[in-house]
Amino acid sequence: MAIQKVGVVGCGLMGAGIAQVSAAAGFTTVAREVAPELVEKGLKGIEKNLARLVEKGTITAAASGEIRGRLTGTTVIDDLNDCDLIIEAIIEQLPAKRELFATLDKICPPGTIFASNTSSLTITEIAAATKRPQRFVGLHFFSPVPVMKLVEVVRTISTEPAVYEEMLAFGAKLGKTTVRAHDSTGFIVNRLLVPYLLDAIRALEEGVGSIEDIDSSMKLGCGHPMGPLTLLDFVGLDTTYYIANIMFEEFRERRFAAPPLLKRMVLSGWLGRKTGKGFYDYADAQNPTAMKF
Ligand code: 3HC
């Protein structure tokens, strides 16, 4: 079955990015959020990104109009009932994802493929909330979605080989490089990235270096585009905290354990860029300053 219409559930940072690349690749795309203001916020962000691409001459104004024309927003879950593929990018919590897919399973035809953008939950456990685990995969994108080249395509022991191949082809149509991953918690990237990020916090806790020096070390010493503490603020400290807890629960290894400082920052509402405060203060977004603890 050829994918023509794509549903994206969740229109936050990841969902909006996924909807943008889907529409840009020529798919009719419907993005669903729970409230009209969240739909509007997601679509406005996409429009801003498209305007920037036109300004830079990456795409024409006509192409931008066509992409926007392929994209609709909705709060009504039933509007996804004629999608060939639905990609979920909602909050990283298992009960919410299972409930969503149980609902989608009832309203979508049996042929619709379901995908979760989860970064750490077990795909098998989400798929088990439906009667179509054979048509269920993980499609794990990276932030910012329009820029990052990778999609991890995750198969469970139940995923039908033809569905898996179709999802690899879909990732390629989005202009992404795909990698194949098994349904192991954190897949490939987060299995390696999360312990590194958590170790950067532990290094800070232990006084190995300052916030700026830890970041500069990895940027200039290893050629990373962002230092680990800047990247943590970018991804969201709450997101990293959820992921670390899920991975620790699964593997019971210290390298996945959330450092006390991370927990305290999340409890204080310091979630990184999105709340204006994390390891840096973003009062002046162009010139963030390191926090003092
Ligand atoms: N949306 C769309 N485009 C964006 C963007 C956004 N949010 N942010 C930046 N861009 C574009 C810019 O327009 C620019 O495009 P151009 O080259 O065509 O002009 C390009 O990206 C580079 O941006 P800038 O020049 O402003 O800034 P940088 O060179 O510093 O790049 C960055 C920004 C791409 C974010 C870079 O710093 C980077 O790659 N950082 C690391 C990001 C990363 O590691 N992401 C993965 C996080 S882990 C994850 O998502 C998994 C999850 O499960 C936790």
Side-chain angles (χ1 to χ4, degrees):
M1 186 186 76
I3 306 288
Q4 288 178 0
K5 185 167 180 181
V6 176
V8 179
V9 188
C11 206
L13 199 64
M14 297 303 287
I18 296 167
Q20 181 183 325
V21 295
S22 167
F27 299 103
T28 304
T29 304
V30 49
R32 191 259 180 176
E33 255 299 351
V34 285
E37 57 274 20
L38 294 177
V39 174
E40 200 181 312
K41 190 173 171 208
L43 294 180
K44 281 257 148 58
I46 295 173
E47 283 163 10
K48 210 170 129 201
N49 277 347
L50 293 175
R52 204 164 55 196
L53 292 175
V54 173
E55 222 172 84
K56 284 189 304 201
T58 312
I59 58 172
T60 63
S64 164
E66 281 167 23
I67 295 168
R68 183 64 188 83
R70 282 193 284 272
L71 198 56
T72 51
T74 184
T75 55
V76 181
I77 195 85
D78 281 349
D79 287 349
L80 303 181
N81 67 7
D82 58 348
C83 289
D84 305 305
L85 165 66
I86 295 181
I87 306 171
E88 164 274 315
I90 65 167
I91 188 166
E92 193 68 350
Q93 286 175 5
L94 183 63
K97 289 187 194 283
R98 282 179 56 95
E99 192 185 326
L100 170 71
F101 278 112
T103 304
L104 289 170
D105 199 34
K106 290 193 191 99
I107 65 170
C108 294
T112 304
I113 298 174
F114 288 167
S116 174
N117 178 55
T118 182
S119 36
S120 50
L121 293 166
T122 307
I123 301 294
T124 309
E125 204 169 355
I126 308 173
T130 73
K131 294 194 173 70
R132 65 182 83 195
Q134 71 285 0
R135 299 188 75 73
F136 208 114
V137 295
L139 285 178
H140 185 214
F141 292 81
F142 297 85
S143 179
V145 176
V147 180
M148 303 309 280
K149 295 273 172 257
L150 187 74
V151 179
E152 290 179 307
V153 185
V154 184
R155 65 181 178 281
T156 73
I157 54 173
S158 304
T159 308
E160 256 173 31
V163 169
Y164 190 64
E165 291 305 317
E166 194 164 0
M167 289 298 96
L168 288 164
F170 173 75
K173 275 191 199 151
L174 297 184
K176 304 294 184 192
T177 296
T178 55
V179 288
R180 297 162 182 258
H182 283 288
D183 184 25
S184 169
T185 306
F187 319 126
I188 299 170
V189 172
N190 279 338
R191 190 181 185 114
L192 301 176
L193 177 66
V194 171
Y196 158 69
L197 295 177
L198 301 178
D199 263 344
I201 304 174
R202 282 190 263 273
L204 179 68
E205 283 178 332
E206 290 164 21
V208 178
S210 67
I211 292 175
E212 295 98 323
D213 285 349
I214 290 171
D215 274 348
S216 294
S217 300
M218 296 311 291
K219 261 183 89 167
L220 305 178
C222 295
H224 289 193
M226 286 175 168
L229 302 171
T230 302
L231 183 54
L232 276 156
D233 278 358
F234 182 70
V235 168
L237 301 192
D238 51 342
T239 304
T240 309
Y241 184 58
Y242 287 141
I243 296 174
N245 287 339
I246 292 165
M247 295 188 80
F248 183 74
E249 178 76 15
E250 175 80 5
F251 297 115
R252 302 282 167 172
E253 292 175 25
R254 182 185 186 260
R255 64 197 172 114
F256 298 110
L261 177 59
L262 176 62
K263 178 175 172 183
R264 279 152 185 75
M265 290 175 78
V266 172
L267 289 171
S268 304
W270 296 14
L271 308 184
R273 270 190 207 203
K274 62 186 167 190
T275 56
K277 224 185 248 185
F279 290 100
Y280 293 84
D281 186 327
Y282 297 90
D284 175 0
Q286 300 310 315
N287 294 297
T289 48
M291 296 297 290
K292 303 268 177 282
F293 294 105

